[in-house]
Amino acid sequence: MAIYESRGSRRSATGSPDIVLHAYKRTFHLNKNALLSRSAKISRILKDCQKQKHHQDLHLTDIPADAKTFEQVVDFCYGELVLSAGNVIPLACVASYLEMTEDHSPDNLLKTTRSFFHHKVLPEWKETIKAFRSCERVLSEAMDLGLIDSCLLSISTKAGSNPLLLGKPIEITSSEIGDLGVITRPSGKARRKLFEPDACSDEIFLGLPLQLFELAVSTVAGRGVPAEHIASCLFRYAKRNTEAAACLFDKSPDREVVEAIERLLPGKAGVLPCKCLLELLRQAIFLQASTDCRKGLERRVGKQLQEASADDLLIPRHGFANETQYDMECLLRILKHFYESCSGLPDSSGLVQAVETSGMVQVMELIKSILAKVSSDPHLKKETFISLAGMVGVTLNEMGRSTDDLYSTIDVFLSAHGHLNETEREEVCQVLDVEKMSAAACAHAVQNERLPLRIAVQVLFVGQLRLQETIERLPESEYGGSREEDEEKKEEEENGGEEEKVKEEMERMDSRVVELERECDRMKREIERGTGRKKQSLWKEMKRKLGCSTALYESNCHVKKIHPKNGQND
């Protein structure tokens, strides 16, 4: 056990000290008169010991602060004291515990520390932060003395007058996109920076322990400091502290920091760039933060989703084998928050009603980019793909845009998921509006064996109807009309190319048409042989399965070939 002998200690003839005091798991040999002249508490304890004829060994088990602070208190008893912003509050707490007040002796330690605190510490920002930081080990005692409240008032008043003390708001320009990295465990000397702090800002505030930092930020927020400055400070605190704790390979301190940052973030949208919010979300997922923390960050990201990029939203999944490498469930929740924030209320399928909302086009393109990246992943769940593709499909439909890109993505997904049966492939294709596919995409689709037969037939009908409409728009001169010769010649030149394209497309589709007709006939015969149903009812059922009995094509399931020269049906 360590032994401390105070400076100026007076010993008896036997060499023994006047008082032996046990505190902080240490033994202190102290001068009795010096200590009694300053501490009312020690005086009272010694008097009680004398009355009860106990040995004058004192045991102070609940004394605040630490051994170093107590040594400085003893030094004060012998006329030596060096005060600073870092020790004034712990000294005041010990002085209060030992009852070193003016009632016991003049110019005592409690009055001296209080005077220094109010006149030398509180007027200065840095000194106040240093003093506030020292409260960590004496929090309850400093709270009782009102020193915590004084620090918070000083901090919030100064930050309210000059928000730059908390740092500048974070702004990410187009040239900076991609410079922010993920907060992860260090790998050797390599480390990607999440955010480079402003060199002009005061970093001392970011060095506060988490509990004190929360107190300070909560108080500052109540003083009307702009939300952008508070959010910037919170983000930088997360960056600084998670990187500092990374070397410990302990997720607990990091997790507590991220959870606290999410709680403290202002509710106003846009106070942090979406890229920064996504970095916090990635860290929350990696550290297995609370559900409330992750949901809160997902909600914030959803409100600013139009600012994100596909790479930002592809959050790696950790620790799960035989699953997609990205957290697609998280992505779906973020998208839901976006649509809810845009439309107020989603419809029964969870999709947005008002696609004209600002940012909808950007998000639709964002989802398309994500689908292009993940559709080839064989572990991507069918339900997840349908949800994402459905959002794109609804938006494209409402905006009257081509669905060619969506068709290509579906084709890639079906190629990577060859195990899907006919019914499952039909479910995947239900999100595709074949009427908004281009002629080239339709020509590819009718020959695409990965598409379910029902969808291929629908695409074929759409193509046939388009061809018929195109032929009907051809000039009368193609059918031997009575126009003037010069007009006929002019229109022939203008439309000759279009007729050739029609003929070529018809030739390409003929083989697929024959194949589909043959397959329909084969299936019809098999069903008739296997069930013995009436031919008429069986054929109606077959038309229903193939999608031919829809409102658009309810006349007949057989494909009608249209010859471009006479416009008649075969």
Side-chain angles (χ1 to χ4, degrees):
M1 180 178 291
I3 297 177
Y4 172 80
E5 184 173 308
S6 65
R7 290 187 287 273
S9 176
R10 299 174 184 173
R11 297 173 178 273
S12 64
T14 60
S16 300
D18 293 319
I19 297 177
V20 177
L21 187 146
H22 303 278
Y24 310 108
K25 297 181 180 180
R26 290 178 57 179
T27 299
F28 296 85
H29 294 236
L30 307 173
N31 180 277
K32 178 180 179 180
N33 291 335
L35 198 59
L36 292 180
S37 66
R38 291 296 189 180
S39 173
K41 186 180 186 74
I42 298 296
S43 297
R44 187 172 60 254
I45 293 175
L46 287 177
K47 287 179 181 179
D48 291 341
C49 290
Q50 289 174 352
K51 289 179 181 179
Q52 300 175 17
K53 298 181 180 181
H54 289 167
H55 190 272
Q56 293 188 6
D57 275 16
L58 305 182
H59 293 268
L60 302 178
T61 57
D62 57 347
I63 187 170
D66 54 19
K68 181 179 180 180
T69 302
F70 183 73
E71 291 173 2
Q72 293 172 333
V73 172
V74 173
D75 289 342
F76 171 78
C77 294
Y78 297 113
E80 299 181 15
L81 180 64
V82 178
L83 287 174
S84 68
N87 69 10
V88 64
I89 290 182
L91 283 172
C93 293
V94 176
S96 176
Y97 172 85
L98 294 175
E99 300 174 18
M100 302 174 73
T101 64
E102 298 303 297
D103 293 338
H104 186 69
S105 65
D107 297 324
N108 215 339
L109 184 58
L110 186 57
K111 177 184 177 181
T112 302
T113 52
R114 279 184 174 277
S115 177
F116 182 86
F117 175 71
H118 286 285
H119 293 92
K120 300 294 184 181
V121 174
L122 292 181
E124 301 293 331
W125 169 261
K126 288 186 178 181
E127 299 301 287
T128 302
I129 301 299
K130 290 178 182 177
F132 187 55
R133 181 187 178 90
S134 70
C135 294
E136 184 178 18
R137 295 189 301 273
V138 291
L139 194 60
S140 61
E141 293 84 3
M143 189 75 74
D144 292 340
L145 291 174
L147 303 178
I148 295 288
D149 289 339
S150 296
C151 285
L152 291 173
L153 178 60
S154 175
I155 292 170
S156 60
T157 301
K158 291 177 175 60
S161 301
N162 182 14
L164 289 176
L165 290 171
L166 302 179
K168 293 181 179 179
I170 298 175
E171 296 180 357
I172 300 180
T173 64
S174 58
S175 61
E176 293 171 324
I177 295 297
D179 291 341
L180 304 185
V182 186
I183 311 175
T184 56
R185 299 298 167 197
S187 176
K189 296 182 179 179
R191 182 186 301 281
R192 297 177 64 192
K193 294 186 177 181
L194 180 64
F195 174 70
E196 190 64 33
D198 177 16
C200 298
S201 65
D202 196 334
E203 290 297 304
I204 190 171
F205 188 73
L206 303 181
L208 288 172
L210 180 59
Q211 186 178 14
L212 299 179
F213 182 77
E214 284 191 78
L215 277 174
V217 171
S218 299
T219 306
V220 165
R223 298 285 294 188
V225 175
E228 290 79 6
H229 290 271
I230 293 175
S232 168
C233 180
L234 290 170
F235 182 73
R236 292 168 55 223
Y237 186 85
K239 179 249 182 197
R240 175 188 177 117
N241 286 273
T242 50
E243 286 187 352
C247 59
L248 301 176
F249 289 88
D250 182 4
K251 292 183 178 180
S252 180
D254 290 3
R255 180 169 58 246
E256 292 175 0
V257 168
V258 174
E259 291 173 351
I261 296 306
E262 191 281 325
R263 289 194 302 269
L264 293 169
L265 274 174
K268 179 183 175 183
V271 293
L272 275 182
C274 189
K275 196 174 189 72
C276 296
L277 291 173
L278 281 164
E279 292 297 346
L280 291 174
L281 178 57
R282 285 173 179 241
Q283 188 71 344
I285 294 173
F286 174 74
L287 297 172
Q288 300 175 8
S290 67
T291 301
D292 288 343
C293 173
R294 284 176 283 174
K295 284 184 177 180
L297 290 170
E298 289 171 355
R299 190 178 301 108
R300 294 174 189 275
V301 170
K303 293 180 179 180
Q304 300 174 221
L305 190 57
Q306 64 273 19
E307 302 173 13
S309 68
D311 290 338
D312 292 334
L313 286 169
L314 291 175
I315 300 174
R317 183 187 295 275
H318 300 279
F320 295 92
N322 297 324
E323 291 190 24
T324 178
Q325 59 181 319
Y326 300 115
D327 194 336
M328 303 306 295
E329 290 76 15
C330 174
L331 174 61
L332 287 173
R333 290 192 296 269
I334 290 173
L335 287 167
K336 179 182 178 181
H337 290 309
F338 169 76
Y339 284 119
E340 287 176 349
S341 68
C342 288
S343 61
L345 289 174
D347 62 16
S348 59
S349 63
L351 300 179
V352 71
Q353 298 280 0
V355 298
E356 296 83 7
T357 307
S358 175
M360 188 66 67
V361 176
Q362 294 95 314
V363 172
M364 186 266 294
E365 294 295 337
L366 183 64
I367 302 173
K368 285 170 60 177
S369 298
I370 292 174
L371 281 173
K373 291 177 179 289
V374 303
S375 57
S376 60
D377 186 346
H379 298 299
L380 180 62
K381 295 179 181 178
K382 170 175 65 71
E383 294 75 15
T384 302
F385 179 85
I386 291 175
S387 296
L388 291 172
M391 294 178 186
V392 176
V394 167
T395 308
L396 291 173
N397 182 61
E398 293 294 332
M399 299 177 67
R401 290 196 174 190
S402 168
T403 57
D404 284 9
D405 290 343
L406 184 58
Y407 164 69
S408 298
T409 301
I410 291 174
D411 188 32
V412 172
F413 180 82
L414 294 177
S415 177
H417 297 73
H419 61 279
L420 297 179
N421 58 37
E422 184 80 0
T423 301
E424 290 172 325
R425 286 185 288 140
E426 285 186 8
E427 291 177 13
V428 171
C429 293
Q430 286 302 314
V431 301
L432 180 65
D433 187 348
V434 298
E435 293 187 27
K436 289 186 172 59
M437 291 170 58
S438 67
C442 288
H444 182 277
V446 295
Q447 302 182 60
N448 188 349
E449 296 182 355
R450 287 185 288 273
L451 288 184
L453 185 60
R454 177 173 175 269
I455 302 299
V457 171
Q458 289 181 356
V459 174
L460 186 61
F461 279 134
V462 170
Q464 292 279 18
L465 289 176
R466 285 181 181 172
L467 289 174
Q468 184 175 8
E469 292 172 357
T470 300
I471 294 171
E472 290 174 352
R473 290 196 300 269
L474 291 176
E476 294 180 3
S477 59
E478 296 295 328
Y479 306 101
S482 60
R483 293 175 181 267
E484 295 295 333
E485 186 175 348
D486 56 340
E487 291 181 358
E488 284 187 6
K489 185 175 181 180
K490 181 178 180 181
E491 291 196 11
E492 281 182 6
E493 292 175 353
E494 292 178 351
N495 298 289
E498 185 174 0
E499 180 183 358
E500 288 301 320
K501 291 180 181 178
V502 171
K503 291 179 179 179
E504 291 175 3
E505 187 166 349
M506 284 295 299
E507 292 174 358
R508 286 196 301 268
M509 295 176 65
D510 274 346
S511 60
R512 179 62 171 168
V513 170
V514 173
E515 179 185 349
L516 291 174
E517 288 179 333
R518 187 183 298 116
E519 181 67 14
C520 288
D521 291 338
R522 185 187 64 78
M523 293 174 66
K524 175 183 174 184
R525 289 194 300 272
E526 288 182 359
I527 293 175
E528 289 174 348
R529 287 197 301 269
T531 63
R533 295 179 183 176
K534 293 182 179 180
K535 292 185 178 181
Q536 182 177 3
S537 61
L538 285 172
W539 187 233
K540 287 183 179 179
E541 178 67 13
M542 178 59 64
K543 288 195 293 181
R544 186 189 67 79
K545 288 185 177 182
L546 292 176
C548 302
S549 58
T550 62
L552 185 61
Y553 312 119
E554 58 185 3
S555 59
N556 200 334
C557 181
H558 287 291
V559 177
K560 299 179 180 180
K561 298 181 183 178
I562 305 172
H563 290 281
K565 286 192 174 182
N566 53 25
Q568 301 298 316
N569 297 335
D570 279 354

